[in-house]
Amino acid sequence: MTDFMALAVVLALITVGVLREIVRRLGGARGTPAAIALSAGYFLVVLEAARWLVGERG
Amino acid sequence: MSPLLLLDFARQDFVDRYAGSALGALWALIHPLVMVFIFTVVFANVMGSRLPGGAGFYNYPVYLVSGLLPWMAFANTVTRSSSVFLDKRHLIVKIPLTLAYLPLYVVLSETIAFTISLALFLVFLALVDNLPGQWLVLLPWIFVLQQIFAFALGLLFGVLNVFLRDIKELVGIALTFWFWLTPIVWVPEVAPSWLHAGEQFNPAYWFIAAYRDLFVHRQPPDFTALMWLTVLGHGALLGSWWLLKRLEKDVRDFL
């Protein structure tokens, strides 16, 4: 359980950083496509990290 | 559009739902509570429904509610977003609102409703000693992915609905078909082989199955399916945003 709590904390911190960046880009004139791409990249990285964790734990 | 304005829209939307009722926002608790109670009593006690190969007394109600709650959030978001520009027409013509972000208040409002329902569902699971495992930490990501897809569809239909009012009705019918084609009430094992095979291409099944993995099977979700949902949801969002940008002037003129 400790691994997962640590994972949740790390993910939460990364999420806050990505969210701030997305909001900052959305404020720009042509930032929406970049914000969407950033969001998609974020989710793909998180899901790949979770899959790697499952593989590591067997 | 200011995030504070969106929050205010979402709060107002939530308040408006129960405006004038004696119990007010308590209805937001009562509705899911009654739903969980009815499904449990009807399917577990009265009909004696069990999952194939499952031994638990409450396994079918847990299976049903774990699919129904996310579907309701998804379907409500799509349906309500598809009329958001017409519903907020009085504001759009007076205030310079960013149209692309307007449906976000529906997403926020449905997220609040889902969170309340989920909290009650977790209390129920704790009471029947059937709490989900550690993979529950992934639930917020699955929910956000699902709502990004719903937001994209809602934005697309919202734009089209300005020009053709039948879109909202068609969306309702399409969602009814989609509901019954997705294993929410029924289990995939009892479906004909063609339908079972077709579920691999059903985006709703991708996220419903992920919730089922967390709540029913207590295992990690299918990450490949969630990655496809990521690509599809964000692709649809980009497409909807592009369409709105192309038609924004016409949308404002029609409104």
Side-chain angles (χ1 to χ4, degrees):
Chain A
M1 190 66 188
T2 315
D3 290 352
F4 284 89
M5 294 306 285
L7 176 70
V9 171
V10 171
L11 283 178
L13 289 173
I14 296 171
T15 304
V16 169
V18 172
L19 268 177
R20 283 184 61 177
E21 186 61 21
I22 287 174
V23 170
R24 193 180 70 79
R25 284 173 189 271
L26 286 176
R30 303 175 67 84
T32 303
I36 293 172
L38 183 63
S39 169
Y42 161 76
F43 275 104
L44 291 175
V45 167
V46 166
L47 291 171
E48 190 54 49
R51 176 153 63 184
W52 174 80
L53 190 72
V54 174
E56 283 292 296
R57 294 168 67 91
Chain B
M1 184 188 288
S2 155
L4 286 177
L5 185 62
L6 275 176
L7 282 175
D8 192 53
F9 277 169
R11 186 191 61 80
Q12 193 58 45
D13 179 65
F14 207 73
V15 169
D16 285 349
R17 283 191 204 187
Y18 309 106
S21 60
L23 293 178
L26 268 179
W27 285 111
L29 287 171
I30 295 169
H31 280 303
L33 201 61
V34 169
M35 188 185 76
V36 171
F37 175 76
I38 287 175
F39 282 134
T40 305
V41 169
V42 170
F43 288 107
N45 296 61
V46 179
M47 294 175 69
S49 304
R50 303 286 183 272
L51 290 180
F57 186 73
Y58 292 105
N59 60 8
Y60 184 71
V62 170
Y63 174 88
L64 183 62
V65 177
S66 64
L68 204 54
L69 291 182
W71 172 264
M72 283 166 60
F74 175 78
N76 287 344
T77 304
V78 175
T79 309
R80 295 182 56 221
S81 297
S82 63
S83 64
V84 74
F85 297 131
L86 294 175
D87 294 343
K88 293 288 179 189
R89 176 172 34 189
H90 59 289
L91 286 174
I92 294 170
V93 295
K94 289 178 188 163
I95 310 169
L97 293 170
T98 313
L99 294 186
Y101 306 149
L102 192 58
L104 275 177
Y105 89 84
V106 177
V107 178
L108 282 175
S109 174
E110 289 302 328
T111 300
I112 296 168
F114 175 79
T115 307
I116 293 170
S117 305
L118 182 72
L120 288 171
F121 183 44
L122 286 172
V123 169
F124 165 75
L125 291 177
L127 288 175
V128 299
D129 199 21
N130 202 4
L131 274 171
Q134 57 204 3
W135 290 104
L136 190 68
V137 295
L138 287 174
L139 187 138
W141 282 270
I142 298 169
F143 181 72
V144 172
L145 270 181
Q146 159 204 321
Q147 289 302 81
I148 286 174
F149 185 44
F151 173 56
L153 292 181
L155 186 60
L156 172 70
F157 297 134
V159 172
L160 298 177
N161 193 45
V162 172
F163 305 105
L164 188 64
R165 306 290 163 91
D166 306 70
I167 293 291
K168 192 187 175 191
E169 306 306 322
L170 288 172
V171 166
I173 292 170
L175 282 170
T176 307
F177 274 107
W178 201 353
F179 174 81
W180 288 107
L181 282 172
T182 306
I184 295 169
V185 176
W186 47 275
V187 289
E189 287 77 8
V190 301
S193 57
W194 62 268
L195 185 58
H196 195 30
E199 293 303 343
Q200 295 171 30
F201 306 102
N202 180 353
Y205 181 62
W206 297 342
F207 64 80
I208 295 286
Y211 287 99
R212 295 267 165 71
D213 282 331
L214 302 186
F215 286 106
V216 181
H217 310 300
R218 299 181 189 187
Q219 65 185 24
D222 179 355
F223 293 110
T224 307
L226 291 176
M227 284 179 176
W228 278 115
L229 185 64
T230 303
V231 173
L232 181 70
H234 287 81
L237 188 56
L238 205 57
S240 303
W241 175 82
W242 177 82
L243 183 74
L244 177 63
K245 282 291 143 193
R246 294 267 302 190
L247 299 174
E248 185 159 1
K249 188 176 175 302
D250 296 327
V251 169
R252 289 186 187 277
D253 286 347
F254 263 73
L255 291 174

